[in-house]
Amino acid sequence: MRKPIIAGNWKMNMTPTEAIELVRALAPLVKDAKCDVVVCPPAIDLSFVAEAISGTNIKLGAQNVHWADKGAYTGEISAKMLLDLGVKYAIVGHSERRQYFGETDETVNMRAKAAIAAGITPIICVGESLEQRENGVTDAVVTVQTVAALKDIEAEQVANLVIAYEPIWAIGTGKTATKEDANATIKVIRDAVRGVFGQNVSDRVRIQYGGSMNPKNVSELMSMDEIDGGLIGGASLKADDFSKVVNYQ
Ligand code: PGA
């Protein structure tokens, strides 16, 4: 019922020249994908990638979005600016933003609301640290993050956005959550959505897994009921690897 969505988070990788090369190589490899395919390049690459993917089934995503329309926010980018370039998705609240750039549940919520107001679909990231997992508080952590991120968003809009469950200890480490653990925690996130917005919304909202997802483990992760796609870091930087993830069987 939910169409899977696989998004590449390039993080701070790829010059504009490299970005164009990557998507040109990627486009023919993913043209028959059954899932939604998204690439999220650094902001400076967006206009080049927008042009290179025009006429393909690849959609453009940003890695962040500011909550204000415009103004004195040096270094930030508004949803209106992204929209003007053809950006359809924006990652919000990635753990690297939370960890290194002071992102909080409150700013994540503000950014998500600004994206939605502009017609951009937020990909809202939640996930526990290793310490939190070892202390047995994973479910509580992702529930609090999810409810806070979705505060004051309309039910219908929640149904149409994307959540990425990314255990921090699995990001860039080569350690993937087991398919059972990923599925169980995504179920907890879906239950949190249901608690606030009801069954219909929780049945429709797409929840990805992220954290060392790659061509080898994608099929087993995607075989799980609750997992509706992936947010892919390292394996999204090579056309061959990313296309294998997108074309999982
Ligand atoms: P990874 O990153 O696939 O390199 O673990 C995922 C992410 O941070 O979105």
Side-chain angles (χ1 to χ4, degrees), residues 6-81:
I6 295 196
N9 173 13
W10 295 3
K11 309 191 179 182
M12 197 173 74
N13 295 290
M14 299 287 152
T15 64
T17 308
E18 291 165 343
I20 295 168
E21 272 171 32
L22 174 55
V23 285
R24 281 201 185 137
L26 182 65
L29 302 177
V30 299
K31 67 178 180 11
D32 299 319
K34 288 182 203 71
C35 59
D36 287 335
V37 185
V38 183
V39 292
C40 304
I44 200 163
D45 297 343
L46 285 170
S47 61
F48 301 96
V49 173
E51 200 182 319
I53 61 176
S54 133
T56 75
N57 59 329
I58 302 172
K59 299 283 190 301
L60 192 57
Q63 295 179 13
N64 197 8
V65 54
H66 197 260
W67 51 82
D69 241 16
K70 60 178 179 175
Y73 298 100
T74 303
E76 292 289 321
I77 297 172
S78 76
K80 196 175 161 190
M81 294 167 183

Side-chain angles (χ1 to χ4, degrees), residues 1-8 26 30-40 56-61 88-89 121 123 159-162 204 206 208 222 228-232 242-243 245-248:
M1 187 177 69
R2 297 182 294 263
K3 186 176 186 192
I5 173 167
I6 295 196
L26 182 65
V30 299
K31 67 178 180 11
D32 299 319
K34 288 182 203 71
C35 59
D36 287 335
V37 185
V38 183
V39 292
C40 304
T56 75
N57 59 329
I58 302 172
K59 299 283 190 301
L60 192 57
K88 302 272 188 262
Y89 295 87
T121 303
I123 299 177
N160 289 311
L161 56 74
V162 178
R204 286 160 64 205
R206 294 187 289 181
Q208 303 171 311
M222 290 304 295
D228 303 323
L231 186 55
I232 321 297
F242 190 56
S243 69
V245 174
V246 164
N247 297 322
Y248 71 95

